[in-house]
Amino acid sequence: MYGRGLLASGDMRVLHTSDWHLGRSFHRESLLAAQGVFVDHLIETVRAERVDVVVVSGDVYDRALPPVDAVDLCNQALRRLVAERVRTVVISGNHDSARRLGFGADLIDAAGVHLRTDPGRVGDPVVVGDVAFYGIPYLEPEMVRAAWRLPARTHTAAIEHAMSLVRADLARRGLRSVVLAHAFVTGGRGSDSERDISVGGVAHVPLSVFYGVDYVALGHLHGRQRMSETVRYSGSPIAYSFSETGQVKGSWLVDVGARGRVGAEFVPAPVPRPVGRLKGRLENLLTSAEHARYEDHWLQVTLTDPVRPKGAMERLRSRFEHTLALSFDPEGGDREVVVRPRLAGRPEAEVALDFVRAVRGEAADAEETRLIREAVEFCRLKEATA
Ligand SMILES: [Mn+2]
């Protein structure tokens, strides 16, 4: 009934994607058109590769209250996937409002779109052929701690419990299995476009919590990466920060074979506009031939002129029309004492702690550190339950 001959062949073909962040912009450039091109590509891939199941491992939207254009695009994407007769399994990420994304989930299930945003359903798989798909939505430890009687308020305790429910259900069914999860696995490489999820200063979960299933489709980190042969991040389909310069974006095409043999091949997504970083003196950047290839890039430029040139952004844009970010790092160092901690990609609590140290000349003590961490986590919890 769905996809290609599930009964004829034992292989199940899964397209693993995550972190669409629909509605996100890139330094004020709207990415909605580029995200629409990605959806077109996704549908073409489903058709060309005869995909059976598409999994979206969280952060469908960029924020809890996405703009209406982003909601329209998501609606179109799901409708087109249904029209391709492919099954779609979606979990919520830390950027999504689980309750809003999960609206009407029971009703939409009947159409072959499975929105798994409720931690109460982690042990209740979507079964396609003889493969069980378990959706573990992003788990804010504080929100599941009481219901699950967790031994600690940590991501590891939350995912460990979710995986124990998955394995208990799987043992009863004896099927092949795919798990969707949204988490920061130890050893994974982050970028500047993920929001920090630390609790008590810890964001990571060990890879070992995911044992016992055939494939784990991870979301959260925006660079594609392989944590093990069968545990992978697809990364975001588009670069969402300059720290992702040089990354190849796309999805994993995963064949879950008989006896759980898994093969994965990467399908690159269309690049709306390459991103790049340039550093040098203004005059050199404007005249050197070697920089010609950056003329169509979205650029972050760092100028090293000893004296800050006037009208720098305007002049840069006369050659590099899509310069989006500009900073200064004068040669010979500048003797001014400027307190400018690196912000991007660092946990909010660490930035706040740096601020305390900078303005007071002495680091926050244990009690102050605890208060700052609690405040940051409280704000995130507020947003998650908004
Ligand atoms: Mn994300």
Side-chain angles (χ1 to χ4, degrees), residues 281-318:
R281 292 196 182 205
L282 180 61
E283 213 46 51
N284 176 262
L285 296 182
L286 292 177
T287 53
S288 73
E290 62 173 312
H291 295 126
R293 69 189 189 93
Y294 291 103
E295 287 171 6
D296 68 344
H297 281 41
W298 274 319
L299 281 186
Q300 178 186 62
V301 177
T302 304
L303 292 179
T304 58
D305 301 72
V307 177
R308 191 178 288 216
K310 275 194 181 147
M313 184 57 120
E314 204 183 349
R315 292 176 64 199
L316 278 167
R317 283 186 173 157
S318 68

Side-chain angles (χ1 to χ4, degrees), residues 11-235:
D11 276 22
M12 170 92 40
R13 186 158 266 196
V14 177
L15 190 65
H16 164 199
T17 169
S18 74
D19 295 271
W20 293 2
H21 287 268
L22 300 180
R24 191 176 187 117
S25 53
F26 188 61
H27 296 262
R28 294 194 189 144
E29 292 269 318
S30 169
L31 289 176
L32 203 72
Q35 291 172 328
V37 170
F38 166 70
V39 169
D40 293 343
H41 156 83
L42 182 76
I43 300 297
E44 282 157 26
T45 305
V46 161
R47 204 176 288 163
E49 301 291 348
R50 300 169 59 97
V51 167
D52 299 307
V53 179
V54 172
V55 303
V56 187
S57 297
D59 286 356
V60 175
Y61 294 117
D62 191 49
R63 39 187 204 259
L65 289 174
V68 290
D69 290 350
V71 177
D72 282 346
L73 182 57
C74 186
N75 191 44
Q76 280 174 38
L78 297 179
R79 199 178 52 210
R80 290 172 69 186
L81 288 166
V82 168
E84 293 298 325
R85 303 171 71 81
V86 67
R87 301 278 285 269
T88 305
V89 187
V90 180
I91 57 170
S92 44
N94 59 309
H95 282 248
D96 298 305
S97 160
R99 291 177 63 186
R100 288 191 175 86
L101 185 65
F103 168 78
D106 297 336
L107 309 175
I108 299 171
D109 258 347
V113 174
H114 311 284
L115 301 170
R116 294 308 174 96
T117 61
D118 175 4
R121 294 187 76 186
V122 295
D124 168 17
V126 176
V127 178
V128 185
D130 65 347
V131 180
F133 291 81
Y134 294 90
I136 304 180
Y138 169 68
L139 301 170
E140 187 64 47
E142 181 62 33
M143 290 168 68
V144 291
R145 177 160 68 150
W148 285 354
R149 299 166 187 227
L150 298 182
R153 192 175 62 97
T154 62
H155 287 292
T156 299
I159 301 236
E160 252 169 6
H161 186 82
M163 282 302 298
S164 73
L165 297 173
V166 166
R167 281 187 290 264
D169 183 80
L170 194 55
R172 284 193 290 274
R173 293 176 191 269
L175 299 174
R176 289 177 287 161
S177 54
V178 173
V179 162
L180 289 72
H182 195 87
F184 195 148
V185 172
T186 310
R189 273 171 289 109
S191 69
D192 289 347
S193 60
E194 295 110 14
R195 187 187 292 160
D196 174 39
I197 56 168
S198 338
V199 171
V202 181
H204 299 184
V205 302
L207 177 62
S208 57
V209 299
F210 293 109
Y211 77 89
V213 294
D214 293 312
Y215 183 75
V216 180
L218 292 174
H220 183 56
L221 298 182
H222 290 175
R224 69 156 176 187
Q225 46 205 299
R226 192 178 59 191
M227 307 311 296
S228 77
E229 206 43 42
T230 56
V231 181
R232 296 169 191 248
Y233 283 98
S234 63

